[in-house]
Amino acid sequence: MNKLPQNEIIIVEMSENIKILVTSIEKKEQASQMGFVEISHAYMCYSTNRLSDKISKIKKLISLGALFSYGTGWSPSELMSYYIQQGYNFDKFKVIAWSNTSTYHIIEYDPNKSTK
């Protein structure tokens, strides 16, 4: 397993529902208050079939400083790029990527200044 930052919410999947990995009890409580349900020890899920609801949850996660996992295909960071291209407006958000199992990098993107 990759090394994880402490006291964070990491969005690991959002092509359908929003699946997050939480690394503290405090973040788990915040996610529960937003309607996320625990599916295993550190993973939680928010089920929705409405895009407007999903966009609203994404904006709330951004306000909590959640990290969007980087990857190819329909990774959370790639979906953010897609939503921005579709005209959705977001505040600055953070992306997390691993260069190996013990090293991660967190980068902040400003959709209003970046081509991401």
Side-chain angles (χ1 to χ4, degrees):
M1 168 159 256
N2 291 340
K3 178 181 176 182
L4 298 172
Q6 295 303 303
N7 199 35
E8 295 288 354
I9 296 173
I10 303 169
I11 303 166
V12 295
E13 198 270 309
M14 61 184 211
S15 59
E16 291 183 22
N17 299 312
I18 303 172
K19 184 177 177 184
I20 59 174
L21 171 64
V22 290
T23 61
S24 73
I25 292 171
E26 174 189 353
K27 294 297 183 181
K28 188 177 278 192
E29 289 171 0
Q30 289 176 334
S32 286
Q33 291 172 0
M34 290 176 54
F36 282 83
V37 176
E38 187 172 347
I39 55 175
S40 71
H41 172 67
Y43 289 93
M44 301 180 81
C45 185
Y46 181 81
S47 298
T48 185
N49 58 4
R50 293 181 318 157
L51 183 57
S52 61
D53 187 30
K54 182 186 284 188
I55 297 297
S56 175
K57 287 297 178 207
I58 289 169
K59 289 181 177 187
K60 178 65 176 167
L61 287 165
I62 289 170
S63 76
L64 294 175
L67 308 172
F68 292 78
S69 61
Y70 176 81
T72 58
W74 290 109
S75 71
S77 66
E78 289 295 312
L79 274 169
M80 288 301 287
S81 294
Y82 173 76
Y83 291 146
I84 291 164
Q85 290 173 3
Q86 296 301 307
Y88 292 97
N89 295 313
F90 298 100
D91 292 333
K92 293 178 187 176
F93 62 94
K94 297 176 186 174
V95 172
I96 185 168
W98 284 263
S99 54
N100 59 51
T101 58
S102 62
T103 307
Y104 59 83
H105 307 276
I106 298 173
I107 301 163
E108 184 175 77
Y109 286 99
D110 184 344
N112 300 310
K113 295 182 180 177
S114 174
T115 59
K116 170 97 179 105

